[in-house]
Amino acid sequence: MPACLSLRQWVGTSDSENRDNDMHFALTDEQQLIVDTVRNFVENEIYPHENSVEKSGQVPKELGQDIAAKCKEIGFFASNISAEFGGGGLNQLEFSLLERELGRGSMGLTVFFGRPSGILEACEGDQIENYLLPAVRGEKYDALAMTEPAAGSDVRGMQCTATQDGDDWIINGTKHFISHADIANFVIVFVATGQEETPRGVKKKISCFLVDRGMPGFEILPGYDSVSHRGYHNGILQFDNCRVPKNQMLGEPHRGFDLANKWLYATRLTVATMAVGRARRTLDLVLPHTVERRQFGQQIGKFQGVSFKLADMITSIDAADLLTLNASWLVDEGLPSNRQIASAKLFATETLARVTDEAIQIFGGMGLMSDLPLERFWRDSRVERIWDGTSEIQRHIISREMLRPLGG
């Protein structure tokens, strides 16, 4: 891809003035090019290293750098960031297609297929040069920190705080389950910076800060061993009187929720799309087996007990895919999408759980052996119903959005 072209220019424009309001279910040539390019990358650059990462639980630094370099070569690094900042400028639908294909591969490896947090587009002044642009160029990696030991889905319950001291803020507290904090050069951390009275009682005010690795009073520690996504590590962040200059606050003081709602709610689509991709890869492994494996003189795919499983699997996967792409389209159109995003995340992750479980059932004992990746997909699928909002939280969002117009 020519260096002078953004990814948007490379794959073709789809700005609002060039789109009508009709939904088209077929992919355009440009969208299909994204799918084919990323899938080819995953199959050739990710699959060959998955077994070694699964066994060691580690991604060698040189391998991560190589993946990032090859991602830059094909012009897809920071494809989710606006072209004005040097990113690829993909819209949400196109980015969901990209993430769906990345979902086929090990997250420990695909994390180096650079996708900086979109919230960095909220950077202003020196923050653009110090954080946004280096992230777009792949010179720095970010990690997003919200979850705490006592505050998961209840973000308002966070106990990590920042108090103002002159022109600085002093952060104290702990964050955990912070994805890929081990490779991050800086973290985007949300902390409580005060309280406010609301009709439902006292609630904490939340602010967001950009905090560099190595700042005095800030330490990134290894996280917990997880059965899901080996090689894709979580970290524990400890802040002990960490003094952060006020110019490292992202957004306005006490307006962290506004910032999160604008930039982060669509991250649930990432989980949904990647779940769809992994489910399709699972089915790709199962289908040939049902033809090649014979029992009682015939292909096992001809037994109703197996054929009906296949029918249910593909129906659920297609439904999850359409839910996810529809939600992505709504985001691009600027239409209400909170319920649709929650539905996509809920259904896609629960579909992945069912598909991986049924795949193992079809393979029998071999499905549980590490010779096949199915047991890995099965283990990996478990966390998808927890992070970025549990299935229960998604159901709460969906029902709340349904009842509110009725006064509920």
Side-chain angles (χ1 to χ4, degrees), residues 283 287 290 299-315 362:
L283 188 59
L287 280 175
T290 63
Q299 299 167 339
I300 64 171
K302 293 184 177 180
F303 291 114
Q304 181 173 300
V306 174
S307 64
F308 279 20
K309 290 183 189 297
L310 297 177
D312 289 342
M313 290 162 76
I314 190 60
T315 300
I362 291 172

Side-chain angles (χ1 to χ4, degrees), residues 13 62 85 136 188 195 219 231-232 245 276 285 317 328 334 342 368:
T13 60
E62 296 77 14
F85 298 117
V136 170
I188 305 162
Q195 294 183 337
E219 190 173 8
Y232 184 75
V276 171
L285 289 170
I317 294 171
S328 301
L368 289 169

Side-chain angles (χ1 to χ4, degrees), residues 71 115 226 275 284:
C71 177
R115 290 103 74 212
S226 173
D284 288 345

